[in-house]
């Protein structure tokens, strides 16, 4: 393993970086963390600051305090990013719509918010280059007078970023826009603008922030709930009584001061301080849906600034799929918010408005759906939550409880800096140095390079998609994950057994999450360490039995605990869009059903189409639709296969047409054509399977070796 790490990073080049954790660094176990937090009845506070909340703001505050040499502790009731921080739009952005509003209303406060966010966007991309990246976003234009309006707005956005700007925005003609985004509705489209913002993997980013804080001395523990605030003789907050939600153990954590960074649940902690406190947070629901990857280009997003009710909706490629959202409406405060069906349908209806009529946007295309609660700061003059500014505010109570509320993911670092500055001022703390988080790279960044996935392929024989995923999720820690992989028993890939055949997550990630990233529950793994539940709720369900097996090996779970974890995970998946079955699900039922699907070669058919395939299908369908009524003759299906260069036996083709009952109709719509092509694709895979078996047992000469096998190949 040490040789692998040496090969992974240039240690000589990086020796001078004092903030770089050693490549073989392993964080303290959760048990060791709890021992450090349980400081007994000592009257002298062992910590300068106790932070409540392990989301982006809380973890960022812990990191900031740790870089200044302060003694910091952090507790989180559930898991890192278990709330709003894992349910964002995944953008690292300044806020184009905020800039527009600032200019229209001459609002200097919103202008400052955009300016700050653009600076933080640049910092974001610098300190976490493997987990955040630039993303071009298209702005379709449907009226000629809007061309100069959006052009000027995009250029102002670029100029406001100054030297910290990413790529410059640019104009696209109608033809170029349709070439890049062929799914767009051609009617009335006149042109498009493309501007750049950032995108990231929010929950993985949160975990990286927490781990970096730990590497610098912070004492951090998830699944530890604050039950009551402690106060000294002067009535000042001096710690908190906490409970380990996994074991039930309770104790007191003493600190010189307490910071409340609990996001949407800010007011619950403030009420512990003083029950008379009025609420300062207005919870707002933001719903997103996950769609198959063919709904968007692989490397470009889109924004619709003028939806039917005036809200903004994003349409973004993310982790191999497409996410669309978000809504913005008042909501009740709950730990596990459910996406409302009307909000999901609203998003789908908006998608239909700007996509080509050839594409049938179906409810069944939704692979996952989730709701996040935004902790917007309440403005008494606002008419509704959509008008609330997503700025942040710091409140200090009479008992010195410091509360940081509001804000957004992009500005988490700036919020943390202001909060620690305020804590130093109020509590009289003595830091060893100034804030360093603007330049201190997060764990995983130091040995990262855009080409390191090639070395992973050569060293471990991983699939290209898997190697790229590991690098983009763990940075230079990808070597530690790959080193935990077990042989697949196949010629290729040699290592890297997938959790689900449809996504690049591998079993070694589960072990790494438990050993090095404080994953304690099944939901921790499927929602925050991997992002499988956000990508495909059904695929996650089918993966649960194997993940439980691995976690049971690592954590020695009893059969009762396994059942409990499974039940909780299923309940969680219901909040991620999984339809509720008529009968209660069990581990064995899911295992059997998953096995049947695997044996029968069943795929998530439409989600397997690549964007290029879908564009090809659309062209062929259009060419065969001679009458222009949106239908083609069933007798043309064989001709369609020739045009898209698909080949299956004649009897198989007839069987597919018969099973689909197409032979009873003279013509079919594009939707039915897609289902037909899906069945054909599955038939191709089944037809190829015997050849693969023959190859494996040596009946035929080797015909093809994956090009990835540049090391150890022929």
């Amino acid at each position: 393993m040490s040789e692998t790490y040496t090969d992974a990073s240039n240690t000589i080049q990086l020796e001078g970086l004092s903030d770089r954790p050693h490549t073989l660094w392993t964080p303290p176990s959760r048990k060791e963390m709890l021992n450090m937090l349980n400081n007994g009845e000592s009257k002298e506070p062992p910590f300068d600051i106790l932070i409540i909340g392990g989301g982006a703001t809380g973890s960022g505050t812990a990191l900031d305090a740790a870089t200044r040499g302060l003694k910091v502790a952090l507790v989180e009731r559930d898991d890192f990013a278990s709330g709003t921080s894992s349910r964002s739009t995944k953008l690292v952005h300044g806020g184009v719509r905020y800039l527009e509003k600032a200019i229209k209303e001459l609002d200097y406060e919103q202008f400052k918010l955009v300016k700050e966010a653009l600076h933080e966007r640049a910092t974001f991309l610098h300190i976490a280059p493997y987990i955040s990246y630039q993303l071009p976003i298209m702005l379709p234009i449907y009226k000629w007078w809007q061309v100069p309006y959006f052009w000027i707005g995009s250029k102002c956005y670029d100029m406001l970023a100054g030297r910290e700007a990413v790529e410059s925005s640019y104009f696209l003609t109608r033809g170029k826009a349709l070439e890049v985004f062929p799914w767009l509705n051609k009617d009335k489209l006149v042109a498009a603008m493309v501007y750049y913002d950032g995108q990231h993997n929010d929950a993985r980013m949160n975990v990286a922030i927490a781990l970096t804080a730990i590497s610098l001395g912070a004492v951090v523990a998830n699944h530890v709930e604050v039950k009551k605030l402690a106060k000294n003789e002067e009535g000042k907050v001096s710690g908190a009584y906490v409970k380990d939600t996994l074991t039930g153990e309770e104790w007191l954590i003493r600190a010189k001061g307490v910071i409340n960074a609990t996001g949407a649940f800010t007011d619950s902690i403030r009420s512990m301080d003083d029950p008379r406190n009025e609420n300062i947070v207005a919870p707002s629901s933001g719903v997103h849906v996950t769609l198959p990857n063919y709904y968007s280009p692989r490397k470009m997003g889109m924004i619709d600034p003028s939806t039917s009710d005036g809200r903004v909706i994003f349409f973004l490629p993310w982790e191999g799929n497409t996410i669309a959202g978000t809504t913005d409406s008042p909501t009740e405060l709950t730990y596990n918010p459910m996406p409302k069906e009307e909000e999901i349908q609203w998003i789908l209806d908006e998608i239909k408005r700007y996509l080509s009529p050839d594409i049938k946007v179906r409810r069944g295309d939704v692979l996952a759906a989730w709701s996040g609660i935004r902790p917007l700061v309440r403005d008494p003059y606002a008419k509704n939550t959509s008008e609330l500014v997503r700025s942040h505010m710091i409140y200090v109570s009479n008992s010195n409880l410091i509360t940081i509320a509001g804000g957004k993911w992009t500005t988490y670092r700036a919020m943390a800096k202001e909060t620690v500055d305020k804590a130093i001022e109020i509590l009289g703390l003595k830091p060893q140095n100034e804030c360093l988080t603007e330049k201190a790279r997060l764990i995983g960044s130091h040995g990262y390079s855009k080409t390191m996935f090639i070395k992973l392929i050569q060293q471990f024989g991983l699939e290209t998609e898997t190697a790229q995923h590991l690098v983009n999720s763990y940075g230079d820690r990808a070597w530690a994950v790959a080193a935990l992989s077990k042989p697949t028993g196949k010629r290729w890939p040699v290592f890297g057994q997938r959790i689900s055949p449809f996504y690049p997550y591998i079993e070694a990630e589960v072990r790494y999450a438990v050993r090095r990233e404080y994953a304690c529950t099944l939901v921790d793994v499927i929602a925050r360490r991997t992002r499988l539940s956000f990508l495909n709720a059904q695929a996650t369900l089918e993966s649960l039995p194997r993940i439980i097996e691995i976690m049971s090996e690592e954590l020695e779970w009893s059969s009762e605990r396994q059942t409990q974890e499974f039940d909780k995970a299923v309940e969680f998946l219901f909040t991620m869009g999984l339809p509720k079955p008529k009968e209660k699900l069990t581990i064995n039922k899911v295992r059997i059903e998953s096995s049947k699907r695997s044996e029968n070669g069943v795929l998530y058919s439409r989600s397997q189409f690549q964007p290029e395939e879908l564009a090809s299908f659309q062209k062929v369908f259009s060419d065969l639709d001679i009458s222009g009524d949106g239908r083609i003759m069933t007798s043309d299906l064989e001709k369609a296969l020739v045009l898209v260069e698909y080949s299956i036996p004649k009897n198989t083709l007839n069987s597919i047409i018969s099973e689909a009952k197409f032979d009873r109709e003279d013509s079919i719509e594009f939707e039915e054509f897609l289902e037909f092509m899906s069945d054909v694709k599955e038939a191709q895979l089944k037809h190829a399977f015997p050849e693969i078996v023959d190859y494996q047992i040596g009946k035929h000469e080797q015909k093809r070796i994956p090009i990835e096998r540049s090391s150890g190949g022929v």
Side-chain angles (χ1 to χ4, degrees):
M1 187 183 294
S2 61
E3 291 179 0
T4 300
Y5 277 117
T6 303
D7 185 54
S9 58
N10 187 337
T11 53
I12 298 176
Q13 179 185 350
L14 300 170
E15 275 178 356
L17 298 176
S18 58
D19 65 318
R20 175 180 182 257
H22 190 277
T23 318
L24 292 174
W25 174 77
T26 300
S29 67
R30 182 173 182 273
K31 184 177 180 180
E32 291 172 317
M33 287 292 188
L34 295 178
N35 288 337
M36 287 186 276
L37 287 174
N38 195 346
N39 41 67
E41 297 299 322
S42 172
K43 293 185 179 181
E44 186 64 27
F47 298 107
D48 293 316
I49 300 172
L50 169 62
I51 300 167
I52 307 173
T57 305
S59 298
T61 303
L63 174 57
D64 188 294
T67 62
R68 302 195 201 200
L70 296 174
K71 297 177 181 178
V72 57
L74 180 148
V75 293
E76 161 59 43
R77 182 193 67 86
D78 193 344
D79 184 32
F80 309 119
S82 59
T84 308
S85 296
S86 63
R87 299 166 182 262
S88 72
T89 309
K90 324 302 181 192
L91 284 177
V92 185
H93 63 124
V96 171
R97 57 175 174 158
Y98 298 137
L99 178 60
E100 181 184 25
K101 196 172 183 180
I103 295 173
K104 281 184 176 180
E105 301 177 4
L106 299 178
D107 189 333
Y108 183 64
E109 288 302 315
Q110 292 223 41
F111 179 83
K112 287 197 303 182
L113 174 65
V114 177
K115 181 72 175 176
E116 177 190 50
L118 287 172
H119 170 70
E120 292 304 316
R121 180 186 69 179
T123 303
F124 215 109
L125 297 174
H126 169 69
I127 65 174
Y130 68 94
I131 210 168
S132 57
Y133 43 89
Q134 297 182 35
L135 179 72
I137 301 176
M138 179 186 291
L139 184 63
I141 303 174
Y142 291 95
K143 297 178 181 178
W144 277 111
W145 68 265
Q146 292 178 327
V147 172
Y149 178 78
F150 287 129
W151 188 88
I152 292 172
S154 298
K155 292 303 176 183
C156 286
Y157 193 60
D158 293 343
M159 291 175 61
L160 195 58
R163 291 181 298 176
E164 296 177 322
V166 289
E167 295 292 327
S168 298
S169 58
Y170 58 89
F171 175 79
L172 285 178
T173 63
R174 180 179 184 275
K176 287 292 184 182
L178 291 173
E179 183 180 327
V180 174
F181 216 126
W183 306 265
L184 276 178
N185 192 334
K186 302 175 183 178
D187 297 341
K188 299 181 181 179
L189 180 70
V190 297
M193 280 298 299
V194 176
Y195 72 95
Y196 283 78
D197 254 328
Q199 190 178 44
H200 72 141
N201 187 332
D202 50 8
R204 293 273 344 146
M205 178 75 177
N206 202 150
V207 171
I209 294 170
L211 287 172
T212 307
I214 293 169
S215 74
L216 296 172
V219 181
V220 176
N222 55 349
H223 299 286
V224 174
E225 181 181 7
V226 170
K227 306 297 291 185
K228 179 183 176 182
L229 295 177
K231 295 184 179 181
N232 58 22
E233 297 81 1
E234 300 173 355
K236 304 298 183 182
V237 175
S238 60
Y241 294 92
V242 300
K243 176 182 179 180
D244 184 344
T245 61
L246 300 179
T247 65
E249 182 183 0
E250 298 186 14
W251 70 94
L252 169 64
I253 301 176
R254 294 186 179 276
K256 295 177 182 177
V258 175
I259 294 175
N260 174 17
T262 51
F265 300 94
T266 291
D267 292 317
S268 63
I269 301 298
R270 294 181 72 247
S271 65
M272 290 183 186
D273 179 38
D274 186 347
R276 297 169 297 178
N277 280 334
E278 294 184 5
N279 291 347
I280 62 173
V281 171
S284 172
S285 170
V287 173
H288 297 79
V289 299
T290 304
L291 299 166
N293 57 9
Y294 55 73
Y295 268 90
S296 68
R298 291 186 179 183
K299 295 184 179 180
M300 180 174 287
M302 188 170 71
I303 179 175
D304 180 6
S306 55
T307 59
S308 57
D309 63 0
R311 290 183 286 187
V312 174
I313 188 170
F314 285 96
F315 199 62
L316 308 167
W318 185 72
E319 297 291 303
N321 279 359
T322 300
I323 59 172
T326 175
T327 61
D328 193 1
S329 54
T331 186
E332 295 293 326
L333 199 59
T334 176
Y335 286 123
N336 295 303
M338 287 279 290
K340 295 180 181 178
E341 185 59 36
E342 57 265 30
E343 293 181 313
I344 295 174
Q345 197 58 55
W346 178 82
I347 294 174
L348 296 180
D349 290 341
E350 292 302 321
I351 292 173
K352 292 176 185 177
R353 290 178 64 241
Y354 56 78
L355 289 189
S356 170
D358 291 341
I359 300 178
K360 305 295 182 182
V361 181
R362 306 182 311 174
R363 179 61 177 84
D365 291 337
V366 176
L367 303 176
W370 72 90
S371 173
I373 300 178
R374 295 191 183 96
L376 305 182
V377 178
R378 181 180 294 278
D379 181 351
Y381 301 102
K383 296 179 181 179
N384 55 61
T385 57
S386 64
E387 295 182 6
L388 294 175
V389 179
R390 294 189 67 187
S391 58
H392 61 275
M393 296 183 184
I394 298 175
Y395 297 83
V396 181
S397 71
N398 293 331
S399 61
N400 281 355
L401 174 66
I402 301 170
T403 297
I404 170 68
K408 60 180 183 178
W409 237 119
T410 307
T411 57
Y412 86 92
R413 193 205 64 83
M415 294 163 58
K417 179 180 182 300
E418 290 183 30
T419 305
V420 176
D421 286 343
K422 179 62 70 173
I424 291 171
E425 174 192 341
I426 297 298
L427 303 175
L429 304 178
K430 296 180 180 179
Q432 297 177 8
N433 44 258
E434 296 296 320
C435 174
L436 301 175
T437 55
E438 200 164 17
K439 295 182 179 180
R441 291 194 169 197
L442 299 186
I443 188 170
S445 301
H446 299 87
Y448 163 77
S449 72
K450 291 184 178 180
T451 59
M452 68 175 290
F453 75 93
I454 298 174
K455 289 186 177 181
L456 279 176
I457 295 170
Q458 295 172 339
Q459 183 87 15
F460 292 99
L462 298 170
E463 293 175 284
T464 300
E465 186 184 15
T466 298
Q468 290 175 330
H469 154 69
L470 292 180
V471 170
N472 294 336
S473 297
Y474 302 91
D476 61 24
R477 307 284 138 172
W479 293 95
V481 180
L484 293 176
S485 296
K486 294 182 179 179
T488 62
K490 304 175 184 176
R491 182 173 175 82
W492 192 265
V494 182
F495 289 90
Q497 184 65 45
R498 293 193 181 206
I499 297 171
S500 167
F502 312 108
Y503 296 93
Y505 301 108
I506 60 175
E507 294 181 356
E509 292 181 74
V510 180
R511 300 188 188 279
Y512 185 82
V514 172
R515 296 182 189 182
R516 303 236 185 143
E517 294 185 337
Y518 302 102
C520 302
T521 70
L522 191 53
V523 176
D524 291 351
V525 171
I526 63 175
R528 271 89 60 177
R529 303 310 182 278
T530 70
R531 309 312 308 281
L532 193 55
S533 62
F534 283 81
L535 294 172
N536 193 318
Q538 181 63 37
T540 307
L541 175 67
E542 295 177 3
S543 302
L544 292 184
R546 179 55 186 152
I547 299 176
I548 289 176
E549 288 178 7
I550 298 171
M551 295 190 73
S552 297
E553 293 173 9
E554 296 290 327
L555 298 171
E556 299 181 352
W557 284 348
S558 64
S559 58
E560 291 79 11
R561 176 66 185 275
Q562 292 179 37
T563 301
Q564 291 173 5
E565 289 293 329
F566 176 82
D567 291 342
K568 290 179 181 178
V570 170
E571 285 297 320
F572 173 78
L573 288 177
F574 291 153
T575 71
M576 301 301 295
L578 183 73
K580 291 190 177 182
K582 295 180 181 179
E583 298 180 357
K584 179 179 173 59
L585 293 172
T586 65
I587 298 176
N588 287 334
K589 282 183 181 179
V590 173
R591 183 181 287 112
I592 293 170
E593 287 300 316
S594 301
S595 177
K596 286 181 180 179
R597 287 178 182 270
S598 178
E599 291 174 1
N600 295 332
V602 177
L603 301 174
Y604 298 97
S605 57
R606 298 189 67 197
S607 66
Q608 294 301 303
F609 290 143
Q610 299 299 318
E612 297 81 4
E613 289 180 296
L614 189 63
S616 173
F617 297 160
Q618 287 177 307
K619 184 180 185 307
V620 168
F621 189 89
S622 178
D623 290 344
L624 294 174
D625 181 15
I626 300 174
S627 61
D629 63 352
R631 302 180 71 88
I632 66 172
M633 305 302 293
T634 53
S635 57
D636 288 333
L637 289 176
E638 190 170 357
K639 187 187 299 183
L641 292 184
V642 175
L643 292 175
V644 297
E645 299 181 352
Y646 275 21
S647 176
I648 58 172
K650 180 74 173 180
N651 60 336
T652 304
L653 173 62
N654 293 334
S655 175
I656 291 174
I657 293 175
S658 177
E659 287 180 11
K661 299 181 181 179
F662 290 158
D663 54 346
R664 301 180 188 178
E665 303 288 341
D666 293 331
S667 61
I668 61 172
E669 296 180 342
F670 183 71
E671 181 71 21
E672 296 169 300
F673 179 66
L674 274 183
E675 295 298 337
F676 167 73
M677 296 307 300
S678 171
D679 291 338
V680 170
K681 192 170 183 180
E682 291 176 15
Q684 279 189 314
L685 292 174
K686 291 180 182 179
H687 181 66
F689 185 73
E691 296 182 10
I692 296 172
V693 174
D694 287 343
Y695 165 75
Q696 291 283 10
I697 63 177
K699 289 186 177 179
H700 295 284
E701 293 182 0
Q702 178 176 326
K703 295 180 179 179
R704 180 180 180 186
I705 293 177
I707 58 173
E708 295 94 332
R709 296 222 46 192
S710 56
S711 176
V714 294

